[in-house]
Amino acid sequence: MTGPRPEASPAHDQFLLRHRLPDRSRLWILVYLVVSAALVATFLVARRFTEARFGDFHALTSTAAALAVMVGILTLVRHHSRPNNHLLLIGAGLIGAGILDGYHAWITSSYFVELFPSVPESLAAWSWTTSRLFLSVMLLASWAAGRREAKLGAAGLIEARSIYDDVALLAVVCLGFFIFVPLPPAYQPGWPVHRPQALGIAIVFLLSLVAYLRDGRWRRSPFASWFVLALVVSVLTDALFVAFSAGPSDLMSGVAHGLKIVAYGCILVGVVASTYHLYRSVEETSLELEASNRVLEAEIERRKLAQAELEQAERKVREYAERLKSSNAELEQFAYAASHDLQEPLRVIAGYTRLLASRYEGRLDGQADRFIEYTVSGVERMQKLIQDLLTYSRVETHGKPFERVDSMRAFEWARTNLQAAIEESGASITGEGLPELVAEPTQLGQLFQNLLSNAIKYRSEEAPEVHVRAERTDGAWHFSVADNGIGIPSEDRDRVFEMFRRLDTAGDRDGTGIGLSVCRRIVERHGGRIWVESGPDRGSTFHFTIPDPEPARPDEAP
Ligand code: ADP
C-alpha cells in the first residue's frame, strides 16, 4: 500500500480524510462486478429450489436489526466527530431500519402475533418492505443532502436533532400502523414477479448506487467504497431475491435475509476502515505537529539567542558611547586647562621678547634683529592659537544658560568689535530682519563676529559687502551671512568647519583655522546646523539655523 499523501480536502467532506488515500477504483470495480456476478449466479441456482422451505428467520432478522442499529450508531459517532450530512442521514437511516427490522422480527413471533389484525405472512412481508423502503429512501436522501452541503457549505448542514425526531416518529407510526391497519396480501402468486413492491425498492437503491458511483468518492474513501458495495448487494437483494420470493420461508427469502446482514456488514467494515485511517491520519498529523513544534522551538531558541546577542552588542555600544563621552569631557577639560595654563608663561615670554626687541633693536647685528622679530611673531601666533583654542573649549565648558535675546543686538556688538577692520577695508556690513530668539547672547555675538571677520578677511579685490539676514522656517530661524569675497571651492565646503583647517586659497592671510570650528560648536550647542554655499570668485554665504519653537511675531523683526 502506498503511503497516504497530504492533500487538502473540503472541510465539509468527511468521506475523504485529510491525508488522501490512493486511488483504488480498479480493485473496487472488480469487487463490485464479482459480487454482482456471484449474486446473479446464486439467484439462478436458488430458482431451481423453489420447493425448499425453512422454519422462520428470527435469528437472522434479530441479528440484522442489532447490526443495523450498531452500524448506525458507529456511523453517527463518526458523523459527530465532524458534522456532515452524508453520515448523519446514513447513520439515522440505519438506526431507523434497525428499529423497523426489530419490528419485523418481533411482530412475526408467536408471542405478539395475536396483537395484530393481519396474518403473520403479510406482517412479515410488509414489515420487511417498510424497513427496506425507509433505508433506501434515507440513503438516496443522504446523497442529496451531501450535495446540498457541498453547494451551501456550513449553511447546508442538517441539524441532527431534527433527523432523530423524524426517525423516532416513524418508528411509532409504523408500530401503530401494523397494530391497527389490516394489511393486504404481500405476495402475488400468479405474477412472474411475486413481490413487485421489492422492485420499486430496488430502483430507489439503484438510484443511490448510481449517484454515489458518479460522485467518485468510492475510488479513494474506504467508507464510500464499502458503502457502494452495500448498495450493490442491496439492489440485487431486492431486485432478485425479494422480488422473486414466493413465500416468507422459501430459499429466496432466506438468502435475502442473509444478504441484508451482508449489506449492513459492508457498511460496518467501511466505518471501521474509515475510523482506522482517521486514527492513522491523526497520529501522522500529531507526529508532523510535533516535528514542526520542534522546528518552531529551535527557531524561538535561535531568535532568543540572537536577541541576547543584540542586547549585549547594544550594551557594549552604550558603554563605548558613555566612555567616549567621558573621555571627550576629560579631553575638553585638558584642552581648556592646558591652553589656560599656557597663557601665563606665554605672556611672560611675549613680554620679555617685546622688551628685548624694543631695547636692543638696532644695537645688535642685523641677524639678531631678524631672530628677535621671528620670535616675537611666533609668540604672537602662539598666543592667538592658545586664545582660539580656549575660546573653542569654552563653548561647552563655560556655556551659560540660554535666554531670550535680540539677535540684532548681538550682530551690532560684533560689528562694533570689528570697527577697525571695517574701516581699514572699507567694508559695508548690513543686517536685516534679525529676530528675538532663545540663545546664549555672548555665543551668538561670537558667532556673528567670526563670520563677519572672515567675510572681511577673505575679501576679493573689491571692498567687502556683507549682508546678514534671517527668515523663519519650520520651528527654527534660518540666518545667512553673504559676502562678495574670494569664495570657497565646492570640494572644501564641508572641510572648512574642521579644526585647524585652512584652505590654500587663504594665501598669506593670518588665521588659526579654529574660527569656523567655534561657529559650528556654538550652532550645534544651540541644536542647529551650519553650512556654506559658495563657488570661487562669487562670494560665500554661510547659513546656520537656531531652533526656536515660538511662532514669529511681526513685531519681533527689528
Ligand atoms: P581661519 O580664518 O583662522 O583660517 P576659519 O576656521 O575661520 O579659520 O576658516 C577656515 C578656512 O575657511 C579659512 O582658512 C578660509 O580658507 C576659509 N574661509 C572661511 N571663511 C571664508 C569666507 N568668508 N570666504 C572665503 N573663505 C573662507
Side-chain angles (χ1 to χ4, degrees):
M1 182 173 150
T2 341
R5 282 179 287 136
E7 189 175 307
S9 60
H12 65 271
D13 198 341
Q14 207 159 353
F15 276 96
L16 294 176
L17 297 160
R18 198 178 81 82
H19 289 78
R20 257 186 110 179
L21 299 173
D23 185 341
R24 307 188 145 248
S25 48
R26 283 170 168 231
L27 172 75
W28 280 105
I29 287 174
L30 192 68
V31 170
Y32 300 151
L33 289 176
V34 168
V35 169
S36 304
L39 289 183
V40 171
T42 311
F43 170 70
L44 294 176
V45 172
R47 285 199 71 157
R48 294 171 177 267
F49 298 97
T50 45
E51 299 309 317
R53 285 287 175 274
F54 298 88
D56 59 38
F57 300 120
H58 285 139
L60 286 179
T61 46
S62 314
T63 308
L67 192 60
V69 171
M70 193 180 92
V71 179
I73 289 172
L74 283 179
T75 312
L76 287 178
V77 168
R78 183 80 175 73
H79 153 78
H80 280 289
S81 73
R82 195 172 63 198
N84 160 275
N85 281 354
H86 281 296
L87 294 182
L88 173 66
L89 294 199
I90 294 171
L94 283 165
I95 292 179
I99 294 170
L100 295 172
D101 282 344
Y103 285 154
H104 178 65
W106 297 329
I107 62 185
T108 52
S109 84
S110 49
Y111 299 112
F112 304 112
V113 79
E114 301 297 323
L115 285 174
F116 302 103
S118 314
V119 292
E121 191 183 87
S122 290
L123 276 173
W126 284 114
S127 59
W128 164 283
T129 305
T130 317
S131 152
R132 298 299 279 171
L133 181 65
F134 176 76
L135 182 64
S136 60
V137 169
M138 283 296 276
L139 297 190
L140 189 59
S142 78
W143 173 80
R147 267 184 73 91
R148 184 179 127 91
E149 190 190 333
K151 268 194 201 143
L152 303 180
L157 267 179
I158 297 174
E159 238 211 282
R161 187 63 204 273
S162 66
I163 294 293
Y164 298 155
D165 288 350
D166 290 349
V167 171
L169 187 72
L170 183 93
V172 174
V173 168
C174 281
L175 187 64
F177 185 79
F178 291 126
I179 291 176
F180 298 111
V181 181
L183 299 165
Y187 295 90
Q188 310 295 339
W191 295 18
V193 176
H194 303 309
R195 284 175 70 181
Q197 64 272 29
L199 286 183
I201 290 167
I203 287 171
V204 183
F205 275 129
L206 184 67
L207 288 177
S208 304
L209 174 63
V210 173
Y212 271 109
L213 270 177
R214 282 188 56 180
D215 82 18
R217 275 173 294 200
W218 56 275
R219 294 171 193 276
R220 290 178 189 277
S221 150
F223 178 81
S225 323
W226 283 98
F227 180 72
V228 167
L229 181 62
L231 286 173
V232 169
V233 172
S234 299
V235 170
L236 293 174
T237 304
D238 278 83
L240 303 176
F241 297 97
V242 183
F244 290 90
S245 156
S249 54
D250 66 359
L251 180 60
M252 291 288 190
S253 181
V255 177
H257 277 84
L259 287 179
K260 183 152 82 172
I261 292 174
V262 169
Y264 292 156
C266 286
I267 301 178
L268 176 66
V269 176
V271 177
V272 171
S274 143
T275 309
Y276 160 75
H277 286 293
L278 189 71
Y279 282 149
R280 249 185 76 151
S281 107
V282 167
E283 194 61 36
E284 275 163 16
T285 311
S286 74
L287 283 178
E288 274 170 26
L289 220 64
E290 266 173 33
S292 63
N293 263 356
R294 270 197 298 278
V295 171
L296 216 67
E297 272 165 18
E299 178 62 21
I300 290 172
E301 208 48 50
R302 203 182 61 76
R303 286 199 181 179
K304 268 191 198 158
L305 256 160
Q307 178 77 17
E309 274 169 18
L310 204 73
E311 275 168 15
Q312 202 181 351
E314 269 175 12
R315 251 200 316 279
K316 270 198 180 148
V317 168
R318 268 202 303 275
E319 266 173 39
Y320 285 139
E322 209 56 48
R323 263 193 249 163
L324 210 67
K325 216 170 131 190
S326 76
S327 77
N328 262 355
E330 271 171 28
L331 222 61
E332 242 161 42
Q333 202 56 42
F334 169 76
Y336 173 72
S339 39
H340 184 267
D341 293 354
L342 275 176
Q343 268 190 323
E344 195 42 43
L346 255 182
R347 230 193 319 270
V348 175
I349 297 171
Y352 280 102
T353 4
R354 275 195 209 102
L355 203 63
L356 211 63
S358 62
R359 288 239 185 122
Y360 295 98
E361 195 173 3
R363 296 171 65 184
L364 303 168
D365 62 12
Q367 211 175 20
D369 282 353
R370 248 195 348 273
F371 288 166
I372 291 173
E373 192 192 317
Y374 290 156
T375 317
V376 170
S377 84
V379 167
E380 275 170 0
R381 244 185 87 66
M382 194 174 233
Q383 269 186 319
K384 177 82 179 93
L385 206 65
I386 296 287
Q387 194 60 46
D388 284 357
L389 267 176
L390 206 58
T391 312
Y392 181 84
S393 57
R394 272 185 179 146
V395 173
E396 288 292 342
T397 50
H398 284 55
K400 293 195 191 76
F402 294 177
E403 58 187 75
R404 197 127 201 103
V405 19
D406 184 353
S407 62
M408 193 63 181
R409 284 188 61 186
F411 165 74
E412 295 288 7
W413 176 84
R415 193 161 59 175
T416 312
N417 286 352
L418 297 168
Q419 203 50 45
I422 294 173
E423 277 168 16
E424 185 252 317
S425 62
S428 133
I429 297 183
T430 50
E432 179 199 355
L434 302 182
E436 255 189 27
L437 77 171
V438 175
E440 203 213 291
T442 331
Q443 290 187 347
L444 194 60
Q446 174 89 59
L447 180 60
F448 280 130
Q449 186 172 323
N450 285 7
L451 294 175
L452 293 179
S453 80
N454 275 354
I456 297 170
K457 190 165 36 163
Y458 299 105
R459 61 178 174 267
S460 58
E461 305 290 294
E462 301 162 29
E465 276 178 24
V466 189
H467 188 61
V468 181
R469 55 197 296 270
E471 60 185 41
R472 183 78 199 172
T473 59
D474 211 11
W477 282 104
H478 175 176
F479 291 84
S480 58
V481 179
D483 63 41
N484 59 343
I486 56 171
I488 299 171
S490 56
E491 65 274 16
D492 291 320
R493 274 180 222 155
D494 290 334
R495 293 164 53 204
V496 289
F497 295 99
E498 289 169 13
M499 191 80 147
F500 305 122
R501 176 71 64 187
R502 308 204 67 228
L503 302 184
D504 297 338
T505 50
D508 55 355
R509 294 166 177 91
D510 277 351
T512 56
I514 298 177
L516 286 181
S517 314
V518 171
C519 291
R520 190 176 64 180
R521 208 161 157 83
I522 291 174
V523 171
E524 283 176 356
R525 182 171 176 245
H526 284 76
R529 174 171 101 75
I530 186 165
W531 70 101
V532 63
E533 282 171 359
S534 170
D537 302 331
R538 66 170 180 86
S540 320
T541 304
F542 281 85
H543 299 268
F544 66 89
T545 57
I546 302 235
D548 183 47
E550 270 194 28
R553 290 197 308 269
D555 58 348
E556 274 182 348

